[in-house]
Amino acid sequence: MKPIVVRESRGLQGTISVPGDKSVTHRAIILGSLARGTTVVKDYLSAEDCLHTASAFRLMGISIEDKNGRLRIEGKGLHGLSEPATVLDLGNSGTGLRLLTGVLAGQDFFSVVTGDESLRRRPMRRVVDPLRRMGAEIEGREDGNRAPLAVRGRRLKGLTYALPVASAQVKSALLLAGLLADGRTVLTEPLPSRDHTERMFRGMGIPLEIEGNQLLLSPPSEFSGREIVVPGDFSSAAFFIVAATIVRNSELRIRDVGVNPTRIGLLEILAEMGAEIRFENRREFDHEPVADLIVRSRPLRAVRVKPESVPKTIDEFPILCVAATAAEGETVIRGAEELRMKESDRIRTVASELSKMGADLEELPDGLVIRGGRKLSGARCSSHGDHRIAMALAVAGLTASGETAVEGAEWIETSFPGFQSLLKSVTA
Ligand code: S3P
């Protein structure tokens, strides 16, 4: 694919909507496959990451079809999957691979899960260790830390576990394994991570109690399929929120965006930086809060990101760093070492690519320092195979003099098909 080429913009205008939420779509496919009966998923994200999850369940005998833009899943119940005849390839998706490993650990068959080069480098012991405690038999490179993972499904037992890191992928993998286990599963998290699994469990009538930072799951014998409406992905909207904030003379309305409180750390941080973002038309789609967001450009000031904001901002750091380059003063991000475990090492890739554009920033072991307020200059940059780095750099290019070219733009397809044409439509 050709690089994305972006020039300095004179303002973003219009009303847009962004594709469906990636996290919610993964969970809808997984829970729809484990439910009894039909699940219809409206406004789902038809992007590579989620399509890989759907293909994996098809290989385990589940019918999943797109009918007029809605996904129709014929679930066969908690124990209705069949042994896949080949390796399950989750592509670039950490969520797909980690959540699926939780499901496979409790099946009565053998399976192998893998992914692309980036995913095969990412740590898996964070799910493999607690699953082993539940009785799972999982092998992989580096004693199960790297995919491919071979899973010999077993009858699992419930687990009481304190997660060492706030991770929705780990929490969700364990909750899914807990659905298939004997006895209760009790989990605690150091800080709240995104709670889409908990909300979808509630929607599907799965008994999950939440007491403070503790989750108590009593596994049901089965649950039924239903209709799920997927909100727009806040993490996709984030690129347009920051673009409309930092490019002068902008006013953008983004419709139907998921505003789950465990996801919108970026909005809190931008508000502290002086941004103007209004909520309108607040409502709920299946236990998930949704709103239209109206964003106007504003001058920003630097901020110190609080450690407790990290989990609810986790996917937004690349674009937050772009906002920080436009803000007056020194922005400090600490306690964000998890960024090194994403699709790329996002501390390193953000620092290397934004400095090519003339940004003044410094890499820390667990974050970044960004001295903003200096105009960026267009440059030739690389996505490093990371969709969010590609999109963040394209937005940075809107404020830079001259021309910015982002190579490796094809990775955007993993989460945001149509990003480039949508950006063009509001900057024209
Ligand atoms: C996700 C959880 C987060 C996030 C990822 C999606 C999910 O990962 O970065 O993009 O859907 O559960 P971690 O759980 O590893 O923080």
Side-chain angles (χ1 to χ4, degrees), residues 22-24 26-27 95 98-99 122 126 166-172 193-194 196-197 311 314-315 338 341-343 346 387-388:
K22 181 150 75 74
S23 294
V24 174
H26 277 298
R27 287 155 173 81
T95 307
R98 295 198 179 106
L99 269 57
R122 294 176 67 184
R126 51 182 59 202
S167 163
Q169 292 180 359
V170 176
K171 173 176 66 178
S172 303
S193 64
R194 64 189 66 191
H196 303 300
T197 304
I314 193 69
D315 289 340
E338 274 294 303
M341 320 280 179
K342 297 296 175 187
E343 286 83 332
R346 287 186 177 155
H387 55 134
R388 298 201 203 284

Side-chain angles (χ1 to χ4, degrees), residues 126-138:
R126 51 182 59 202
V127 287
V128 168
D129 282 345
L131 287 171
R132 282 177 175 161
R133 289 205 209 172
M134 296 176 84
E137 220 178 294
I138 305 174

Side-chain angles (χ1 to χ4, degrees), residues 77 110 130 223 251 276 282 286 321 389:
F110 173 77
F223 58 93
E251 180 164 352
E276 184 186 329
R282 282 177 187 263
D286 291 304
C321 290
I389 299 295

Side-chain angles (χ1 to χ4, degrees), residues 306-319:
K306 296 182 197 74
E308 61 269 28
S309 301
V310 171
K312 55 184 165 179
T313 316
I314 193 69
D315 289 340
E316 280 59 75
F317 282 102
I319 193 63

Side-chain angles (χ1 to χ4, degrees), residues 110-330:
F110 173 77
S111 55
V112 178
V113 284
T114 192
D116 68 10
E117 203 191 317
S118 144
L119 187 52
R120 281 183 272 117
R121 276 197 304 264
R122 294 176 67 184
M124 295 301 151
R125 281 288 288 272
R126 51 182 59 202
V127 287
V128 168
D129 282 345
L131 287 171
R132 282 177 175 161
R133 289 205 209 172
M134 296 176 84
E137 220 178 294
I138 305 174
E139 289 301 333
R141 293 180 300 129
E142 293 176 27
D143 191 19
N145 197 32
R146 311 269 174 210
L149 299 177
V151 187
R152 154 68 43 217
R154 293 275 293 266
R155 183 101 210 147
L156 303 177
K157 47 187 190 300
L159 171 76
T160 298
Y161 186 64
L163 274 73
V165 283
S167 163
Q169 292 180 359
V170 176
K171 173 176 66 178
S172 303
L174 299 179
L175 287 174
L176 290 165
L179 282 180
L180 302 156
D182 293 326
R184 285 202 323 175
T185 289
V186 182
L187 305 176
T188 47
E189 284 194 284
L191 284 168
S193 64
R194 64 189 66 191
D195 64 356
H196 303 300
T197 304
E198 295 90 307
R199 287 171 187 262
M200 206 174 282
F201 272 23
R202 207 174 306 145
M204 290 190 135
I206 298 169
L208 178 73
E209 289 165 50
I210 305 175
E211 290 169 10
N213 65 347
Q214 195 172 57
L215 303 174
L216 299 95
L217 171 68
S218 310
S221 53
E222 60 177 38
F223 58 93
S224 303
R226 63 195 299 268
E227 184 174 297
I228 296 170
V229 184
V230 181
D233 198 323
F234 179 79
S235 296
S236 297
F239 298 101
F240 287 88
I241 294 169
V242 169
T245 298
I246 63 177
V247 176
R248 263 191 241 159
N249 304 315
S250 299
E251 180 164 352
L252 210 55
R253 174 185 285 264
I254 316 172
R255 281 199 310 239
D256 302 337
V257 184
V259 287
N260 179 317
T262 60
R263 290 286 296 280
I264 56 169
L266 176 76
L267 293 186
E268 295 160 16
I269 296 167
L270 286 176
E272 214 181 316
M273 295 172 85
E276 184 186 329
I277 300 151
R278 255 188 15 250
F279 281 54
E280 272 184 17
N281 202 10
R282 282 177 187 263
R283 58 219 185 274
E284 275 202 357
F285 291 180
D286 291 304
H287 304 270
E288 288 286 349
V290 173
D292 296 348
L293 302 179
I294 295 97
V295 189
R296 281 214 190 100
S297 39
R298 281 271 172 260
L300 297 181
R301 50 185 179 271
V303 72
R304 256 170 204 275
V305 176
K306 296 182 197 74
E308 61 269 28
S309 301
V310 171
K312 55 184 165 179
T313 316
I314 193 69
D315 289 340
E316 280 59 75
F317 282 102
I319 193 63
L320 174 63
C321 290
V322 172
T325 64
E328 234 13 91
E330 187 175 277

